[in-house]
Amino acid sequence: MSEPSTLLIEEIFYPTQEVRSQNNHAVQGERAGTLLKFGRQVQKLENQPGKYALAVSVGSDDEKSRNPPYHFVIEAYAIVTIGGTPLEGEAAEKFILTNGLPLLMGAIRERLADITARAPWGRFLVNALPLQETVQITTM
């Protein structure tokens, strides 16, 4: 019987961390009107069996949002290793996205909450994202 596959996150970096207060935010106005742009990318690391890079980017969609308190873009980049039963190709990518994406989203959510904790409009939390509706951002 084969050993189940596991995902080990070796490193997490934040290559992009940009947050700006919106001067036209109405404190008494809409509080849940910030819409998001989302992207993710998985890439196999050359000459490193079982190792991949997972990049996730979340930002405010300022054109479609209503009364957003902040403009932001945060990108998290992780080095992950698949242990146990080896996976390749599409199976590896699906495994990494299924297991690693929620972890990086949590890291991004906490990072943004930390950055905005002392900002003018208070702490901002990113809500859960419908992952089936995500789009690839090509600037990673």
Side-chain angles (χ1 to χ4, degrees):
M1 186 169 159
S2 65
E3 187 179 337
S5 298
T6 58
L7 188 70
L8 172 66
I9 296 181
E10 295 185 15
E11 298 285 346
I12 296 178
F13 307 99
Y14 298 97
T16 303
Q17 301 179 75
E18 178 185 342
V19 178
R20 283 182 283 157
S21 299
Q22 299 284 40
N23 293 335
N24 59 351
H25 172 69
V27 178
Q28 302 301 321
E30 172 75 51
R31 295 197 40 89
T34 302
L35 300 178
L36 303 175
K37 294 180 182 178
F38 174 82
R40 83 280 192 263
Q41 183 178 14
V42 175
Q43 184 176 18
K44 183 157 180 33
L45 299 180
E46 289 185 29
N47 302 319
Q48 298 186 51
K51 285 196 178 198
Y52 294 81
L54 171 60
V56 177
S57 176
V58 178
S60 56
D61 187 342
D62 299 336
E63 291 180 14
K64 295 180 181 176
S65 295
R66 294 177 316 279
N67 196 36
Y70 304 102
H71 160 81
F72 63 89
V73 177
I74 297 189
E75 181 181 7
Y77 182 90
I79 303 296
V80 299
T81 301
I82 297 177
T85 300
L87 299 170
E88 293 295 328
E90 193 174 312
E93 183 174 340
K94 183 176 180 180
F95 181 76
I96 291 165
L97 288 173
T98 300
N99 293 283
L101 191 57
L103 294 171
L104 280 188
M105 280 304 304
I108 288 171
R109 183 175 290 110
E110 290 300 314
R111 188 69 192 122
L112 184 57
D114 281 348
I115 292 170
T116 58
R118 294 192 180 269
W121 313 125
R123 183 180 68 157
F124 186 85
L125 296 173
V126 174
N127 290 324
L129 298 173
L131 297 179
Q132 69 276 11
E133 296 177 15
T134 61
V135 294
Q136 189 78 17
I137 293 178
T138 58
T139 58
M140 292 188 178

